[in-house]
Amino acid sequence: QVQLVESGGGSVQAGGSLKLSCAVSGYIFRACGMAWYRQAPEKERELVASISSDATTTYTDSVKGRFTLSQGNVKNTVNLQMNSLMTEDTAVYYCAADLRPLTCSGERQYKFWGRGTQVTVSS
């Protein structure tokens, strides 16, 4: 069955960098889109960045200029390069995917999720 596997989380001091990766297995077609969400304790889940099948990307304002989401070399893989990390970036980061097989119209439907990877930024 479909699985999303995240990697690259860890601990880093403020100003440092991390690269998160996500790979979809068990699905042979191109994803409509993939995204990274994050959730800090006692805070709402936040969409950090997304990428569509046409490579169009979006970012939440707080990470613009610092984070870059890109397609991996393998279909349905993505990388999130996180630079100039701040303590406010501390959260569990989740990869999500829209894997509708027949259409990608309308809003993204992120129904497949990874288990999350912890990112901790210390001062």
Side-chain angles (χ1 to χ4, degrees), residues 7-12 18-20 36 38-39 67 80 82 85-93 116-122:
S7 62
S11 298
V12 65
L18 287 172
K19 185 171 76 174
L20 305 183
W36 284 97
R38 67 186 180 188
Q39 188 164 23
F67 291 10
L80 183 67
M82 305 186 295
L85 283 162
M86 305 167 65
T87 56
E88 298 95 312
D89 297 317
T90 295
V92 177
Y93 284 70
T117 184
Q118 177 71 48
V119 171
T120 301
V121 184
S122 62

Side-chain angles (χ1 to χ4, degrees), residues 32-33 52 98 100 103-110:
C32 292
S52 296
D98 180 343
R100 288 174 289 166
T103 181
C104 295
S105 62
E107 299 292 326
R108 298 280 76 80
Q109 299 180 16
Y110 298 119

